[in-house]
Each structure stands twice: as C-alpha cells, then as structure tokens.
Amino acid sequence: MKLGFVGPSQSGKSTLFCAVTERPLESHVFGAGRPVLGTVAVPDARIDFLVEKFKPQKTVYAQMEIVD
C-alpha cells in the first residue's frame, strides 16, 4: 500500500511522517522540496498465528510505503 501526506505548509505532515515511520524528527529535512520515502511493516497477529501453525520457510508481512 502506498500513502502520501498532502496538506498546507506547517500543518504537521512531516511530524506525522516521522511518528509513523519511527524516524527521529531531527533527521527529517523540512521543506526540502523533494519527496521523502519511508517504509513501515504492518504487524498482524493473524499472520503470526498462521506462521506458528504451519511453519512456512518464509514469512512476508504487509508493508506500507509513505511519501512526505
């Protein structure tokens, strides 16, 4: 899934981006004029249950790409 934060200047888009991607706010360049991409794994207890039951060789969790 891809998600983009859009809104007026100084509305908290970058702060929300840093909170969701767990990046320190100090590392983000505000007003850089270029998109910043972050990827977040989406935890799911249902997948953990199925992995425990069926023991697959590989487990792939859903990921969300966020653009600020």
Side-chain angles (χ1 to χ4, degrees):
M1 174 186 298
K2 293 186 179 183
L3 175 73
F5 295 134
V6 180
S9 179
Q10 299 294 313
S11 62
K13 299 179 302 291
S14 295
T15 302
L16 181 60
F17 175 83
C18 289
V20 171
T21 58
E22 297 180 345
R23 290 184 180 186
L25 195 57
E26 298 83 27
S27 70
H28 192 74
V29 179
F30 296 95
R34 58 177 176 26
V36 179
L37 180 67
T39 305
V40 178
V42 180
D44 191 343
R46 298 171 297 179
I47 293 177
D48 296 335
F49 172 78
L50 292 172
V51 166
E52 184 66 31
K53 185 171 183 166
F54 295 107
K55 311 271 191 245
Q57 292 180 0
K58 182 178 178 183
T59 303
V60 179
Y61 289 91
Q63 289 189 343
M64 189 168 53
E65 291 181 357
I66 303 171
V67 179
D68 180 26

